[in-house]
Amino acid sequence: MIRAPPQAAAGNLAYGASVTVTAGRHQPYFGPGRLTNGITDRFDLFLGYPAKPEPLVIDIELAPIAEVARIRVHEIAVGGSWEDYRVLVSSDGERFEKVGAAVRGQRGDRPFLEHRFDRRPVRLIRIETRGCEDFTFPSFSRLTEVEAFDS
C-alpha cells in the first residue's frame, strides 16, 4: 500500500495507525489501511460495506495512547453527497465517548470535517458510519483519511 512520506503527515497522531473493521467488510484493494496512510486524495479511499441497516464500525488504534483534541475526517466529497458517521474515542477500549458527527450540508465545499473537543488521552478512535448519502450505493462507506491532532 502507498503511504505519504512521514513529513507530509507531520503532527498527525493517527498516521500509520492500525485500522480494524470490527463490523462490516471492505473491498480488499480499498482496505482500511488507506484511512491512516497520510493520503487525503479522494481517489485513495476506503470502500467498506454494508453500512445499512447497522453501521459499519472502524477502529483506529493509536499506539502509544496520545493526547488528542481534534479529529479530521476526510471523505470523497462528490457534489452534495456526505458520509453519515459518528466519531467516538476511548482511552481504554471499553468506554467510548462521542466527540463528533457528520450532518448533511455541514462539510460545505471542503473534503473533510474537523471535530474539536477537550484534549484527552485516546487509545482508540471509532468511526461508526451509515454510508455515503446522496451518492450511488449509499450503504457503502467512502472515507479517505482520518487524522488526529493534539491541538
Side-chain angles (χ1 to χ4, degrees):
M1 176 180 46
I2 298 172
R3 280 189 195 265
Q7 63 271 22
N12 176 6
L13 302 167
Y15 175 72
S18 173
V19 183
T20 306
V21 178
T22 60
R25 298 177 180 199
H26 57 87
Q27 200 278 345
Y29 182 74
F30 296 98
R34 289 177 179 258
L35 291 172
T36 59
N37 67 358
I39 300 173
T40 60
D41 185 275
R42 70 184 216 113
F43 295 107
D44 187 64
L45 65 116
F46 162 70
L47 187 58
Y49 60 91
K52 295 181 187 317
E54 296 299 318
L56 178 70
V57 179
I58 303 160
D59 282 348
I60 300 167
E61 185 169 4
L62 304 183
I65 291 175
E67 291 287 322
V68 177
R70 177 172 50 108
I71 295 174
R72 183 183 297 158
V73 180
H74 296 260
E75 56 183 274
I76 60 167
V78 174
S81 69
W82 61 289
E83 188 90 14
D84 180 10
Y85 66 85
R86 298 183 335 147
V87 180
L88 303 102
V89 295
S90 173
S91 62
D92 62 8
E94 303 211 5
R95 292 181 310 272
F96 285 84
E97 182 177 0
K98 179 181 165 187
V99 294
V103 177
R104 178 186 309 267
Q106 179 183 21
R107 178 178 36 78
D109 293 334
R110 299 172 303 172
F112 62 86
L113 281 177
E114 289 206 344
H115 307 281
R116 296 178 183 274
F117 47 92
D118 291 337
R119 192 170 186 229
R120 67 194 71 192
V122 173
R123 186 179 124 210
L124 285 173
I125 299 169
R126 176 170 284 173
I127 308 289
E128 295 178 346
T129 179
R130 295 198 175 273
C132 191
E133 298 295 334
D134 297 334
F135 198 71
T136 310
F137 306 115
S139 65
F140 284 75
S141 173
R142 294 173 180 87
L143 296 175
T144 60
E145 188 75 13
V146 177
E147 300 173 294
F149 302 94
D150 65 358
S151 62

